[in-house]
Amino acid sequence: MKKILALLFLSVAIISCETEPLDPSLNSGATGGDGSGSGSGSVDTTLIVGSWDYADTETESTTTSVVMGNTVSLTVVIEFVSSDAVLVFNTDGTYTVNGDLTVETFLAGASQGQITNTLVQSGGYTINGSDITFTADGPATVFDTNAVYTIAELTATDLEITLASDVTQVVNGVSQRTVVEDFFSFTR
């Protein structure tokens, strides 16, 4: 009986313990987080300034359409192959992206081949907590200027930006929902 009571006491003690790390910034996934675990922590924006080389990117996009009562879904995955593109964040709140990015597209798990895109974009950026918003000087070709991105990791040598988007629209009477999960990884 004493063993059962001891195990019960130990179980209650373990369950009621705080699980917050000693370093509160670990909760948000970004340097200097607020410890809330919400992903809305602040990042040390001085670390973002400078040149970043594309190291990886992957996009998964699922479009679901309802046509005359029938639901049709299509998932496309785009994976990083290689890149010489460089993303530069300036201290004045502007950025540039220049270079080539080669990706491979998969539809229903089958490769649809590789595509090389020349990335050219410039504009402004603002950081609010761990969210980063981009504006473009011209047509957006890299970052969708209507989306809010999240800095998932920012150190002196590594930067990861994620995007989660869920948009529903009606096109020619057809309801269409597109869900996109994306990440961009950069290194110095």
Side-chain angles (χ1 to χ4, degrees):
M1 182 67 151
K2 288 181 185 180
K3 288 182 182 180
I4 293 173
L5 288 176
L7 286 173
L8 180 61
F9 175 76
L10 182 60
S11 298
V12 170
I14 290 172
I15 292 170
S16 64
C17 287
E18 287 283 331
T19 58
E20 184 171 312
L22 294 176
D23 181 357
S25 70
L26 296 176
N27 284 338
S28 69
T31 303
D34 65 1
S36 67
S38 65
S40 62
S42 296
V43 295
D44 182 354
T45 57
T46 60
L47 291 175
I48 206 166
V49 173
S51 297
W52 296 92
D53 298 322
Y54 270 77
D56 198 6
T57 185
E58 185 171 322
T59 303
E60 181 173 307
S61 175
T62 302
T63 301
T64 305
S65 301
V66 179
V67 181
M68 297 176 5
N70 296 312
T71 302
V72 179
S73 289
L74 176 68
T75 298
V76 176
V77 175
I78 301 170
E79 295 182 359
F80 178 86
V81 174
S82 65
S83 180
D84 67 359
V86 177
L87 170 62
V88 178
F89 288 101
N90 301 305
T91 57
D92 65 357
T94 61
Y95 73 94
T96 59
V97 180
N98 288 299
D100 291 331
L101 172 66
T102 302
V103 294
E104 185 168 4
T105 304
F106 295 87
L107 177 62
S111 175
Q112 303 302 303
Q114 295 183 3
I115 301 169
T116 299
N117 296 303
T118 299
L119 306 179
V120 178
Q121 186 174 331
S122 63
Y125 71 93
T126 55
I127 298 175
N128 181 12
S130 61
D131 291 337
I132 184 167
T133 303
F134 295 94
T135 58
D137 291 338
T141 60
V142 179
F143 298 111
D144 176 357
T145 58
N146 295 315
V148 176
Y149 295 79
T150 301
I151 299 172
E153 179 181 1
L154 176 58
T155 67
T157 58
D158 296 300
L159 169 62
E160 186 173 305
I161 300 173
T162 61
L163 165 69
S165 175
D166 188 340
V167 177
T168 300
Q169 59 187 355
V170 177
V171 178
N172 296 327
V174 175
S175 173
Q176 186 174 14
R177 178 181 180 203
T178 303
V179 177
V180 178
E181 293 182 10
D182 198 351
F183 81 90
F184 306 89
S185 180
F186 304 89
T187 59
R188 293 201 203 257

